[in-house]
């Protein structure tokens, strides 16, 4: 009988049985005066002691707002020092941090705040083309007439208050700068008691993932889930207190806040944010000026760094390792990353938000071919298996659905037990929906994402969510969304549109309509207006045929 497609990760690395706050305190005790956080675009630097002091101050201030264990606080902002402080301050008082994509527009924001029943929201003032204050004013017309913390909005009934990162926000917002002053309302002993009451398997974070069946689902993650995942990723990289990690990936995503921030705090590694969002030149500058040893990114980021015209101006020789994740890495890109960015130990990681996120990872000594043709082997203290459509484990080398089990599997989807039971089976296996095969050595190769998902620049986009969105346009009678290959982003979005009789629309009109309503990365690059869709004789849509036609028209011309 062929060996089954099942592996266990190494068992010799014990899991951390502690809360995120306890892990942070341990690191502060060991490395108090070493540099903890560098935020270059804000010109801020913190030692571990200074960062801990700011976290403790703001944690007490959040308690003063009335936030209790299990309450939800949203954060809607790009990378900044306040994001990091909020992440750890909420963890220390048992408040569940709800990550909100900075690119979200009003409909997406409203859904997430309502579904998670957020009591408070931290937001930036503006970012790129987004005016957060204006969008919140649109959702909450009552805001201008109510004092901070006294909010009573019709559309968001659970939301009690808003904290703005601007120093002088409009009426109704509590400025972040004023928040710390509220800490004196909570005695240190009360704060300490709150921390001591927390358990490591309690929820600490909700991250929304686009769903194949419509609205995003909130993956609920515990201290145990994400603290240990960050720790294990860091262990594979060989992180120590002497490492310095540049984190250009977004903090609202697991890549930034778990693999980045939590990987650093469990090893005493310095966190470096080169900018509020990815900028290749500022990332190169951050690596060179800060003498970074570790760099994170999705393949499109590394391509942008390699192709930056001024790359040669910067000394990148301090780099030794990093992680590339979010999409398959072409072999030529991997070779250039190793040779030109000096990242000889760069690793590939695979996972999903629901698994905290990493479940498979290559190692520093893996051959180059394994680092570009596979996503590595099962992480320590986890299990992987590949099953057929009946749930039976397939032999090695056979393609099936990849499943993960262990400490990293989420607690469930927030307020959605039906979706949770569909994703996690009774034996505790998380079904990824991804097709994969496992070789004799246990290395896993991803054969393809689930049949619908699009990965554009590291962002997971599910066509069903976009299709439901386009159905709200008055001219759209029917719509099908697919992904096609793209050299820069990995995939681009194509929307096939069938219009109502007598209606008209253009690419530009539909893109403009999307602009104020959905995140920019979800807006289709191409539109194709049709009378009918390719179908089977039984009336089923043939998305594979649509993909073939679109590739022929758009990629091969």
């Amino acid at each position: 009988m062929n060996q089954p497609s099942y592996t266990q990760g190494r068992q010799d690395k014990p899991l951390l049985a502690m809360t995120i706050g306890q892990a942070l305190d341990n690191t502060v005790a060991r490395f108090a005066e070493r540099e903890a956080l560098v935020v270059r675009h804000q010109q801020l630097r913190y030692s571990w002691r200074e960062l801990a002091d700011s976290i403790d101050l703001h944690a007490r201030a959040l308690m003063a707002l009335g936030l209790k264990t299990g309450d939800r606080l949203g954060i809607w902002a790009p990378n900044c020092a306040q994001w990091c402080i909020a992440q750890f301050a909420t963890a220390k008082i048992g408040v569940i941090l709800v990550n909100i994509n900075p690119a979200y527009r009003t409909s997406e924001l409203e859904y997430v705040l309502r579904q998670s029943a957020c009591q408070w929201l931290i937001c930036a003032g503006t970012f790129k083309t987004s005016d957060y204050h204006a969008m919140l004013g649109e959702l909450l017309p009552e805001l201008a007439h109510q004092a901070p913390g006294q909010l009573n909005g019709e559309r968001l009934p659970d939301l009690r208050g808003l904290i703005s990162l601007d120093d002088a926000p409009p009426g109704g917002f509590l400025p972040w700068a004023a928040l710390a002053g509220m800490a004196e309302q909570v005695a240190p002993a009360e704060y300490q008691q709150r921390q001591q009451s927390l358990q490591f398997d309690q929820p600490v974070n909700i991250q929304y993932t686009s769903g194949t069946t419509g609205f995003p689902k909130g993956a609920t993650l515990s201290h145990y889930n994400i603290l240990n995942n960050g720790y294990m990723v860091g262990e594979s990289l060989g992180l120590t207190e002497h490492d310095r990690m540049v984190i250009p990936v977004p903090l609202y995503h697991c890549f930034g806040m778990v693999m980045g921030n939590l990987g650093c705090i469990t090893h005493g590694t310095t966190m470096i944010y080169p900018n509020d969002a990815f900028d290749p030149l500022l990332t190169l500058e951050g690596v060179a000026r800060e003498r970074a040893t570790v760099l994170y990114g999705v393949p499109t980021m590394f391509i942008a760094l390699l192709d930056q015209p001024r790359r040669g101006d910067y000394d990148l020789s301090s780099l030794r390792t990093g992680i590339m994740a979010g999409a398959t890495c072409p072999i030529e890109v991997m070779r250039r990353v190793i040779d030109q960015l000096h990242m000889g130990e760069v690793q590939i990681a695979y996972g999903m938000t629901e698994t905290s996120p990493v479940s498979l990872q290559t190692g520093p000594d893996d051959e180059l071919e394994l680092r570009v043709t596979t996503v590595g082997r099962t992480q320590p203290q986890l299990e992987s298996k590949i099953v057929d459509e009946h749930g039976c484990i397939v032999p090695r080398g056979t393609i099936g659905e990849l499943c993960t089990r262990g400490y990293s599997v989420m607690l469930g989807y927030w307020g959605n037990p039906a979706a949770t039971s569909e994703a996690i089976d009774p034996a505790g296996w998380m079904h990824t929906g991804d097709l994969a095969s496992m070789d004799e050595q246990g290395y896993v190769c991803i054969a393809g994402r689930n049949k619908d998902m699009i990965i554009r620049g590291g962002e997971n986009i599910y066509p069903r969510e976009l299709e439901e969105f386009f159905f709200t346009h008055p001219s759209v009678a029917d719509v099908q969304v697919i992904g096609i290959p793209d050299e820069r982003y990995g995939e681009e979005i194509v929307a096939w549109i069938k219009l109502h009789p007598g209606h008209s629309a253009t690419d530009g009109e539909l893109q403009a309509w999307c602009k104020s309503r959905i995140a920019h990365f979800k807006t289709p690059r191409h539109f194709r207006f049709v009378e009918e869709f390719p179908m089977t004789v039984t009336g089923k849509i043939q998305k594979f045929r649509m993909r073939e036609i679109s590739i022929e028209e758009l990629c091969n011309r």
Side-chain angles (χ1 to χ4, degrees), residues 36-53:
L37 176 65
V38 177
V39 188
R40 289 183 57 82
H41 60 287
Q42 293 178 294
Q43 299 182 316
L44 293 172
R45 291 178 183 270
Y46 299 82
S47 68
W48 285 106
R49 187 189 306 280
E50 290 167 340
L51 181 60
D53 287 346

Side-chain angles (χ1 to χ4, degrees), residues 184-361:
E184 61 186 21
Q185 299 174 32
V186 175
E190 184 182 352
Y191 174 47
Q192 186 177 17
Q193 185 178 19
R194 172 76 71 89
Q195 291 183 77
Q196 292 172 346
S197 72
L198 304 180
Q199 302 299 309
F200 61 70
D201 49 9
Q202 289 175 326
V204 73
N205 185 220
I206 298 175
Q207 297 197 32
Y208 279 83
T209 64
S210 293
T212 55
T213 55
F215 290 110
K217 301 187 290 286
T220 307
L221 304 166
S222 68
H223 295 259
Y224 197 64
N225 287 150
I226 59 177
L227 179 68
N228 279 293
N229 204 255
Y231 170 67
M232 292 300 183
V233 168
E235 286 290 284
S236 183
L237 292 173
L239 295 184
T240 73
E241 71 273 19
H242 302 292
D243 279 304
R244 297 172 65 78
M245 181 188 292
V246 167
I247 306 173
V249 293
L251 295 177
Y252 78 85
H253 192 275
C254 272
F255 203 168
M257 72 162 286
V258 178
M259 299 160 69
N261 287 356
L262 292 176
C264 286
I265 72 116
T266 51
H267 293 85
T269 299
T270 305
M271 302 169 278
I272 301 166
Y273 307 157
N275 193 34
D276 54 3
F278 176 66
D279 179 285
L281 189 62
L282 293 177
T283 300
L284 291 168
E285 184 179 285
V287 169
R289 300 283 166 79
E290 301 296 336
R291 306 305 296 154
T293 58
V294 188
L295 176 62
Y296 279 4
V298 299
T300 52
M301 291 181 177
F302 281 104
I303 292 169
L305 294 172
L306 290 163
D307 294 343
Q308 221 296 321
R310 290 184 54 196
R311 176 171 55 80
D313 296 348
Y314 296 100
D315 178 4
L316 310 176
S317 61
S318 59
L319 283 174
R320 68 171 181 86
T321 191
I323 287 185
M324 199 181 307
T328 305
C329 176
I331 190 165
E332 288 306 316
V333 175
M334 178 63 84
R335 285 198 179 105
R336 292 181 67 195
V337 166
I338 291 171
D339 296 339
Q340 298 173 24
L341 299 184
H342 307 280
M343 295 171 62
E345 299 174 22
V346 65
Q347 299 179 26
I348 299 293
Y350 163 88
M352 57 195 305
T353 305
E354 290 90 337
T355 56
S356 300
V358 177
S359 51
L360 297 152
Q361 191 170 345

Side-chain angles (χ1 to χ4, degrees), residues 2-7 384-387 393-403 429 436-439:
N2 290 335
Q3 189 178 5
S5 296
Y6 168 85
T7 53
S384 300
K385 70 175 181 178
I386 296 173
V387 301
I393 299 176
V394 300
R396 297 280 174 113
T398 304
I399 292 176
E401 184 187 15
L402 177 62
C403 301
W429 288 97
S437 61
M438 183 182 292
D439 71 12

Side-chain angles (χ1 to χ4, degrees), residues 210-215 452-454 461-471 479-482 543:
S210 293
T212 55
T213 55
F215 290 110
D452 288 330
M453 190 169 73
I454 300 165
I461 301 162
Y462 284 89
R464 180 66 182 271
E465 182 188 0
L466 274 180
E467 288 161 1
E468 292 193 1
F469 168 74
F470 274 108
F471 274 121
V479 56
Q480 296 292 326
V481 173
I482 58 169
K543 281 201 170 183

